[in-house]
Amino acid sequence: MIIIGGTATNGIDERVSRLLNLKLIKVEHKVFPDGESYIRIPEQINDKEVVLIQSLYPPQDKHLVDLFLMIETLADMKIEKINVVAPYLAYSRQNRRFKEGEAVSVKTVLNLIRKSGATSLAVVEPHHYEELEYFDGETRVIDPIPDIGKVISEKTKGPLVLAPDKGALNRAKRLAEILNTDYMFIEKERDLNTGEVRVKNLPELKVNGRDVVLIDDIISTGGTMVQAISMVKKQGAKNVYVSAVHGLFIGDAYSKLIQAGASEVIITNTIPQDPSKVSVVDVSDAIARTI
């Protein structure tokens, strides 16, 4: 088996290659003057199985097209098993039709990955596990929560683990079990026209003088987290640690979290991060374990 490093790996391909002691082939790539992608696998591959690592962080559309080109090129090279590892899976939040006529974006993306020639797909903490059923092949979920838990356990003992909505409750539960502590969630609702998120109810949390860890899969604009931070701070939380698997941090999202009262932001490296701002948890070990 060989590791193929795609055009968007954030160094994860190199670390996984070292951890598993597998040969790494880096894809050659460039962008033509008209914006189109050029892809080349620079070596003839004799192995029948490869692991292609390609994250799909912004610019998502370019990285997706690169992925399709790489998969089909490997298929043309007669590779029998093309195992795609996507540390961040773009379009995963549009996993069903919220309004009539909407595209189910993640379904389209997963269909295209499969039809390009991928035989299996592994994703780091997808938005919804069931959306992987759209991929007509073997799928695996890479769980980074134990690695996040190790980092948090060094910073606080017995915090309340809080999910910013019911959909993130499973993550909160898994993290709380690692930290040997309690957990709960906040109810929220989203306006389907504007996309605005607001807290639906404000539960009475026994957090006065206590640390709180907020956990979610994605931080995009940070709106949901900001509301949650403000809520627990008003109820007397001591320190608020904000954690997520995928940190997009659109616009001034990071600044909003800090201004709202976050003590620290803990994020994995599925998307490139600024280590001077956030604590970065490497998912390479989790990926290597899954492979």
Side-chain angles (χ1 to χ4, degrees), residues 12-284:
I12 292 172
D13 57 337
E14 297 170 4
R15 288 186 287 273
V16 170
S17 172
R18 289 197 298 269
L19 286 168
L20 297 178
N21 194 28
L22 293 174
K23 180 179 179 179
L24 171 64
I25 296 177
K26 301 282 283 188
V27 170
E28 291 182 3
H29 61 98
K30 64 182 179 181
V31 178
F32 290 110
D34 61 0
E36 295 181 355
S37 292
Y38 168 89
I39 294 293
R40 178 174 178 262
I41 310 296
E43 297 183 32
Q44 182 60 43
I45 300 173
N46 296 318
D47 293 60
K48 297 300 182 182
E49 182 173 5
V50 301
V51 174
L52 170 58
I53 298 177
Q54 173 79 346
S55 201
L56 299 172
Y57 50 77
Q60 299 94 319
D61 293 353
K62 180 192 183 304
H63 292 153
L64 272 167
V65 169
D66 290 350
L67 177 60
F68 302 147
L69 295 174
M70 289 184 286
I71 295 171
E72 188 153 296
T73 301
L74 290 166
D76 288 344
M77 296 172 74
K78 309 302 181 186
I79 307 299
E80 293 180 0
K81 295 189 69 175
I82 303 171
N83 307 294
V84 173
V85 174
Y88 174 67
L89 178 63
Y91 290 98
S92 62
R93 284 173 287 181
Q94 189 71 30
N95 65 316
R96 61 186 176 91
R97 287 189 176 88
F98 299 93
K99 297 171 68 176
E100 188 64 31
E102 287 184 334
V104 183
S105 307
V106 73
K107 178 181 179 182
T108 301
V109 166
L110 295 181
N111 279 335
L112 288 169
I113 292 174
R114 180 70 175 102
K115 290 177 180 178
S116 295
T119 51
S120 76
L121 174 67
V123 177
V124 176
E125 196 66 21
H127 190 56
H128 293 289
Y129 282 32
E130 60 269 22
E131 68 196 19
L132 296 182
E133 294 175 4
Y134 289 125
F135 183 83
D136 183 22
E138 179 189 358
T139 60
R140 288 170 289 177
V141 172
I142 299 164
D143 184 7
I145 300 300
D147 299 290
I148 293 173
K150 288 179 184 177
V151 173
I152 293 174
S153 67
E154 295 171 356
K155 301 176 182 295
T156 181
K157 300 297 180 184
L160 172 67
V161 177
L162 188 60
D165 58 46
K166 192 173 182 178
L169 185 60
N170 177 264
R171 294 180 190 94
K173 179 178 183 291
R174 285 149 53 203
L175 181 58
E177 288 173 349
I178 292 167
L179 299 176
N180 193 28
T181 190
D182 50 329
Y183 66 96
M184 65 180 305
F185 74 96
I186 303 167
E187 285 193 62
K188 73 174 185 181
E189 57 186 3
R190 183 183 300 273
D191 188 303
L192 295 181
N193 293 313
T194 66
E196 181 182 356
V197 175
R198 59 180 177 272
V199 173
K200 192 174 181 180
N201 73 322
L202 297 175
E204 284 298 322
L205 306 172
K206 296 179 180 180
V207 296
N208 189 33
R210 188 180 181 190
D211 289 344
V212 173
V213 176
L214 290 162
I215 180 71
D216 210 347
D217 64 323
I218 300 173
I219 296 178
S220 183
T221 62
T224 302
M225 282 294 193
V226 164
Q227 292 185 58
I229 295 166
S230 299
M231 186 189 75
V232 297
K233 292 295 285 186
K234 286 178 182 177
Q235 295 189 21
K238 181 182 177 183
N239 296 301
V240 182
Y241 296 91
V242 173
S243 182
V245 179
H246 313 291
L248 289 167
F249 298 114
I250 305 301
D252 58 350
Y254 172 78
S255 298
K256 288 178 180 177
L257 297 174
I258 300 302
Q259 290 167 8
S263 303
E264 189 173 346
V265 180
I266 302 162
I267 297 289
T268 78
N269 61 339
T270 61
I271 298 168
Q273 302 296 336
D274 182 350
S276 68
K277 292 182 177 181
V278 301
S279 293
V280 181
V281 178
D282 190 359
V283 297
S284 301

